[in-house]
Amino acid sequence: SSISKMPKAVVCTAIGPYATSLAVQEWNGTVADNDDDNDVRIGSGEARVRVLAAGLAFPDVLIVEGKHIQKKEAPFVPSSELCGVITELGEGVEGFKVGDTVFGTTNSGALCEETIIYPETCYLLPKGVDPHVAAGFELNYGTTYHGLVDVAHLKKGETLLVLGASGGVGMSAIDLGKALGCTVIACASTAEKLECCRKAGADVLINYVMDGDGNFKQALKDADVY
């Protein structure tokens, strides 16, 4: 397999507060800075992508700070979602070609100029879709679809209550709920967050803090949730 010049990345250099644990460094996939081996090789069944956009979420912060159930040892490159252009294919990769723009997940870290993916965890980017949107699609919408469709079997005409609705999974739940023909009740803690939920299509907005005189259970009753 061929060799690429070592790219730059945002590297978690030590587990701890994200504000002090991250640094921009050269990265060869295992070691940062001035390691003697600057080769970045891809293996069979892998592909190299030039990263256009990376998805970031609260779990990424928790992993850097060592507070997530998924533990990593520093150094590593955070973020597991991306959209990028394939620049090289390893042996045995089918269904993709160099130059294809793809989005999906990576175990190698997405906050890097280039990274390695397994093509079976990625999808071709449809024409007209913004790479910045696609980079945050897989984990948010994949989680929501599995929960609402595969598990809950949400159907047209039902009511969907979304807690923490202004986050990535919450916003995708609003979107998916409306697409399935449901009435969506979105809950969040500030007027600014609820405005985002309204723009996303929520039918009813509930402020955890203010509505129901601060009694969330009463606010749900007022919204005819139960």
Side-chain angles (χ1 to χ4, degrees):
S1 55
S2 61
I3 300 171
S4 175
K5 182 180 179 181
M6 191 164 16
K8 289 185 178 180
V10 175
V11 179
C12 175
T13 59
I15 300 299
Y18 73 92
T20 58
S21 297
L22 302 176
V24 176
Q25 300 179 345
E26 290 185 329
W27 178 255
N28 73 352
T30 55
V31 181
D33 277 338
N34 298 317
D35 187 77
D36 291 336
D37 183 7
N38 289 350
D39 297 353
V40 183
R41 302 174 182 272
I42 63 171
S44 176
E46 297 178 337
R48 188 192 325 277
V49 297
R50 175 172 56 85
V51 177
L52 299 176
L56 285 172
F58 187 52
D60 294 305
V61 175
L62 295 179
I63 292 172
V64 168
E65 297 186 343
K67 299 176 182 178
H68 196 272
I69 190 172
Q70 179 185 352
K71 304 296 183 183
K72 288 189 175 183
E73 293 185 4
F76 66 88
V77 175
S79 177
S80 58
E81 289 187 281
L82 59 81
C83 181
V85 178
I86 293 177
T87 59
E88 184 182 357
L89 296 173
E91 294 182 5
V93 176
E94 298 180 354
F96 296 93
K97 66 181 184 299
V98 171
D100 282 344
T101 302
V102 298
F103 69 97
T105 59
T106 175
N107 291 326
S108 302
L111 289 181
C112 195
E113 290 179 322
E114 65 176 32
T115 192
I116 306 300
I117 64 168
Y118 290 104
E120 61 264 29
T121 68
C122 293
Y123 309 87
L124 288 172
L125 182 70
K127 289 184 178 179
V129 176
D130 188 333
H132 295 88
V133 173
F137 185 88
E138 170 70 4
L139 295 184
N140 289 308
Y141 278 84
T143 299
T144 301
Y145 189 92
H146 178 62
L148 298 184
V149 178
D150 297 337
V151 178
H153 305 293
L154 191 65
K155 296 179 178 60
K156 183 178 180 179
E158 293 184 327
T159 298
L160 172 64
L161 174 66
V162 183
L163 307 181
S166 63
V169 171
M171 295 288 276
S172 62
I174 295 172
D175 197 12
L176 186 56
K178 293 305 297 179
L180 292 172
C182 300
T183 298
V184 178
I185 302 173
C187 302
S189 60
T190 69
E192 291 80 8
K193 291 178 179 180
L194 287 173
E195 176 61 17
C196 292
C197 297
R198 184 192 66 78
K199 291 180 178 179
D203 300 291
V204 180
L205 307 175
I206 294 179
N207 187 312
Y208 293 126
V209 179
M210 303 297 294
D211 293 342
D213 294 325
N215 186 325
F216 181 52
K217 188 174 182 179
Q218 183 60 48
L220 294 178
K221 288 183 178 180
D222 293 343
D224 294 326
V225 175
Y226 66 97

